[in-house]
Amino acid sequence: MTKQIEIFDSLISKIESEQRRKQIEKMMEQIGERYFTSPASSNKSYHDAYPGGLLSHSLSLVSNLKKISSLFGPEIDNDSIIIVGLFHDLGKIGSLDGKDFYVPVKEQWKIERGSVYEYNKEIVDGLSHAQRSCRILSHYGVSLTDSEYAAILYHDGLYL
C-alpha cells in the first residue's frame, strides 16, 4: 500500500490549482488514514472489497479517466480527472463524525456468500455514498466545479 500512497501523493502534487491542492492536503491530514484503509465495496464478487480497496479502486479510476478523457474533448482538465477519480467514492470512508461506512460482516452465512462488509447501520444521514462524498469535500473546503460535482453525484448511474 505504501506504493499506492506515493502514487496518490504524486497525483495530488499535480493539481495545478494551488488553492484546491492545499484544501485537499488539509483534508487528507484529517481523514487520510480512513481513506487509505477503507474498502471500496462489501462483497468479494464486487471490486476491491478489502482494507485499502478504496485507494486501489480510486487510483485505477484516475488511470482509466486519463486514458479515455480525450474521447470527451479537451475541456476536461487534469485537475478534474484527479479530483473526481480520487474522491468520487470518498463517502465510503463513512460519516464526518468518524463512523465507518463499511463494518465487518459477522454472520457466517453472509460470509459464505462473499459478503465481507455491510453498511454501518449507525450512519443515519440518509445520504448516498456519492452525496456523502460531496458533503465531506465541502466540509473540508474542497471546492468543486459544477461538472465535478455532477460527475461525483451521478457516477453510479442507475444505482443511485
Side-chain angles (χ1 to χ4, degrees), residues 19-48:
Q19 177 186 4
R20 295 195 328 151
R21 186 175 61 251
K22 288 184 178 195
Q23 291 167 336
I24 290 168
E25 289 168 349
K26 183 178 177 185
M27 176 182 73
M28 293 309 292
E29 287 174 13
Q30 300 295 313
I31 65 167
E33 183 176 349
R34 292 174 70 199
Y35 178 86
F36 295 138
T37 59
S38 291
S41 63
S42 61
N43 191 294
K44 290 179 183 179
S45 65
Y46 305 152
H47 63 284
D48 306 302

Side-chain angles (χ1 to χ4, degrees), residues 4-150:
Q4 289 184 322
I5 294 172
E6 289 173 8
I7 294 168
F8 175 91
D9 288 341
S10 174
L11 287 168
I12 297 301
S13 73
K14 292 177 182 170
I15 294 175
E16 292 179 20
S17 166
E18 182 178 355
Q19 177 186 4
R20 295 195 328 151
R21 186 175 61 251
K22 288 184 178 195
Q23 291 167 336
I24 290 168
E25 289 168 349
K26 183 178 177 185
M27 176 182 73
M28 293 309 292
E29 287 174 13
Q30 300 295 313
I31 65 167
E33 183 176 349
R34 292 174 70 199
Y35 178 86
F36 295 138
T37 59
S38 291
S41 63
S42 61
N43 191 294
K44 290 179 183 179
S45 65
Y46 305 152
H47 63 284
D48 306 302
Y50 55 84
L54 178 58
L55 174 61
S56 179
H57 168 66
S58 299
L59 291 174
S60 293
L61 183 59
V62 172
S63 177
N64 288 332
L65 286 173
K66 286 182 179 218
K67 290 175 188 172
I68 66 169
S69 66
S70 62
L71 300 173
F72 299 110
E75 67 276 356
I76 301 176
D77 68 19
N78 196 50
D79 286 7
S80 291
I81 290 171
I82 293 169
I83 291 167
V84 169
L86 291 179
F87 302 118
H88 73 287
D89 276 347
L90 180 62
K92 290 183 178 181
I93 69 167
S95 64
L96 284 169
D97 63 359
K99 294 180 183 88
D100 291 335
F101 182 68
Y102 289 121
V103 294
V105 168
K106 294 183 176 134
E107 297 91 345
Q108 189 60 35
W109 68 270
K110 289 181 181 178
I111 294 169
E112 290 170 2
R113 287 166 179 74
S115 290
V116 286
Y117 299 101
E118 60 189 359
Y119 301 130
N120 187 344
K121 293 174 181 71
E122 292 181 13
I123 298 177
V124 292
D125 58 14
L127 301 175
S128 69
H129 78 272
Q131 291 167 325
R132 192 173 301 106
S133 297
C134 292
R135 181 180 190 193
I136 293 168
L137 288 163
S138 176
H139 175 81
Y140 288 101
V142 179
S143 56
L144 297 173
T145 66
D146 290 344
S147 295
E148 292 164 353
Y149 186 76

